[in-house]
Amino acid sequence: MTGAPRSGYAVVVPTLARDTLADCLAALAAAIGPPPDEIVIVDDRPAPDADPGALDHPLSVLGDLRERTVVLRSGGRGPAAARNTGIRAVTSPWTAFLDDDVQVGPHWCDQLVQDISEAAPDTGAVQGVIAVPLPGERRPTDWERGTAGLARARWITADMAYRTDVLERVRGFDERFPRAFREDADLALRVLDAGWRIQRGRRTTRHPVRPASRWVSLGQQRGNADDALMRRLHGPDWWSKAVAPRGRIRRHSAITAAGAAALALAAARRPRAAALAALGWAAGTAEFAWARIAPGPRTRHEVTTMLVTSVLIPPVATWHRVSGLWRHRGARAWQEVAA
């Protein structure tokens, strides 16, 4: 953790060639300040499905930075594996990760160089400030509020700069995290455990709310399996270590158990016990639905979506949590797996 300050940096962007990538790279190219030494775009689409021309337009917006840019493939193994592919190609002392749906601020390059130049020798990473624009004319939807939570999240790789040698020492991201969820917190905890500090910088990056299906909250429940892996790797108190919200998995499990009990008791012809269990299921589901409806716009579309998904989320979340606990029951530290 010693040596003279070095401020050269690379930018690594994992992508699925979404429409947002062009805006991300255009903002990077327009940012004032010392440009990145190198830009690594990691195409994480499965190769058989990848259209090679899908990146032509996004890369064209880079202008002069195109000469410093390489495109690699990571085979559709998820953002953790994609970032590791990018890390292996980096030669700069710092690696700044950006998601392909963010837009850096107009002075981002200047501010990033200032952030990493002022980093103490024992600082392993400097996090950017995330701003999520929300509608001003109405209350935000459940999806919009969830995205806005990124502005308060610790260590997210939407804009995160690490010392490249620190990433190499901890062997990068744990590729057992297949989604853009918890893989950043896991990396940060391992960096902190290795004796480094993580600071918040001055640079600001905009994270717009991208369009999503009304059923997106059901797909998000897969993250409960990743929480099971975090528990295995970092202990039952990993929530407090990662300064992460604990979530509702205990309530979801209780609601699911009440619903299952109601069905089983009804099948066993025990109507009174079944009614009590059903009442517990209904009360828990109603509380969950209202907690999501109350702060929102309360339009017919939003209320209907919240009602339906509030019925489905508890059993889906419980299933993913149980399957994650089973799948990761023998998980070892990533350093051992990657060795």
Side-chain angles (χ1 to χ4, degrees):
M1 301 183 190
T2 61
R6 301 171 65 202
S7 58
Y9 69 98
V11 172
V12 172
V13 184
T15 185
L16 295 174
R18 297 186 292 186
D19 294 341
T20 55
L21 178 61
D23 291 335
C24 173
L25 297 182
L28 177 61
I32 296 171
D37 299 334
E38 47 196 331
I39 300 173
V40 184
I41 309 297
V42 186
D43 185 349
D44 195 44
R45 294 173 296 166
D49 302 327
D51 173 10
L55 295 180
D56 290 346
H57 171 60
L59 293 176
S60 70
V61 307
L62 284 169
D64 294 340
L65 292 180
R66 180 65 182 89
E67 298 177 356
R68 307 183 183 204
T69 304
V70 297
V71 178
L72 304 176
R73 289 191 180 276
S74 52
R77 294 180 293 128
R83 294 191 191 102
N84 284 344
T85 299
I87 293 168
R88 289 190 287 270
V90 168
T91 59
S92 302
W94 286 83
T95 301
F97 297 104
L98 295 175
D99 287 348
D100 71 351
D101 56 352
V102 304
Q103 298 159 15
V104 300
H107 298 277
W108 187 84
C109 293
D110 254 341
Q111 293 169 338
L112 172 61
V113 170
Q114 184 177 6
D115 284 344
I116 61 182
S117 296
E118 295 177 354
D122 64 344
T123 296
V126 184
Q127 179 179 349
V129 177
I130 302 299
V132 180
L134 293 176
E137 72 282 0
R138 59 167 174 79
R139 294 178 176 181
T141 64
D142 181 68
W143 170 242
E144 290 167 340
R145 295 193 305 275
T147 303
L150 296 176
R152 303 183 299 274
R154 293 283 190 97
W155 313 318
I156 60 171
T157 43
D159 180 354
M160 190 71 170
Y162 277 94
R163 292 187 191 270
T164 305
D165 63 344
V166 170
L167 293 170
E168 293 169 351
R169 292 184 193 185
V170 300
R171 298 184 181 271
F173 290 85
D174 189 331
E175 297 179 11
R176 291 171 294 183
F177 290 93
R179 287 165 287 277
F181 190 71
R182 303 304 189 203
E183 85 291 357
D184 43 14
D186 167 74
L187 173 64
L189 289 178
R190 287 187 283 117
V191 168
L192 292 170
D193 287 344
W196 298 89
R197 294 191 301 132
I198 299 177
Q199 297 178 336
R200 183 177 290 272
R202 297 182 179 88
R203 66 192 188 278
T204 300
T205 291
R206 184 173 179 266
H207 193 309
V209 179
R210 58 181 172 82
S213 162
R214 68 190 301 183
W215 313 118
V216 65
S217 58
L218 296 178
Q220 288 180 307
Q221 302 313 309
R222 296 187 182 95
N224 284 285
D226 303 317
D227 285 350
L229 179 56
M230 287 290 287
R231 179 185 177 89
R232 178 67 184 175
L233 297 176
H234 300 286
D237 62 341
W238 75 266
W239 300 91
S240 59
K241 293 179 182 177
V243 197
R246 190 167 182 83
R248 282 180 165 260
I249 189 60
R250 291 183 177 179
R251 295 187 187 185
H252 290 335
S253 299
I255 292 171
T256 302
L263 293 175
L265 290 167
R269 297 183 179 181
R270 298 177 59 185
R272 290 186 179 180
L276 286 175
L279 182 61
W281 171 86
T285 301
E287 184 277 329
F288 178 42
W290 180 245
R292 302 170 72 207
I293 292 170
R298 305 187 194 179
T299 62
R300 178 179 297 179
H301 180 276
E302 178 75 359
V303 170
T304 301
T305 302
M306 293 301 99
L307 289 174
V308 174
T309 56
S310 294
V311 171
L312 298 176
I313 282 175
V316 172
T318 303
W319 165 255
H320 284 298
R321 183 55 176 269
V322 171
S323 64
L325 289 170
W326 175 257
R327 186 184 318 131
H328 301 302
R329 64 192 182 280
R332 297 177 296 156
W334 174 242
Q335 286 91 332
E336 299 174 17
V337 174

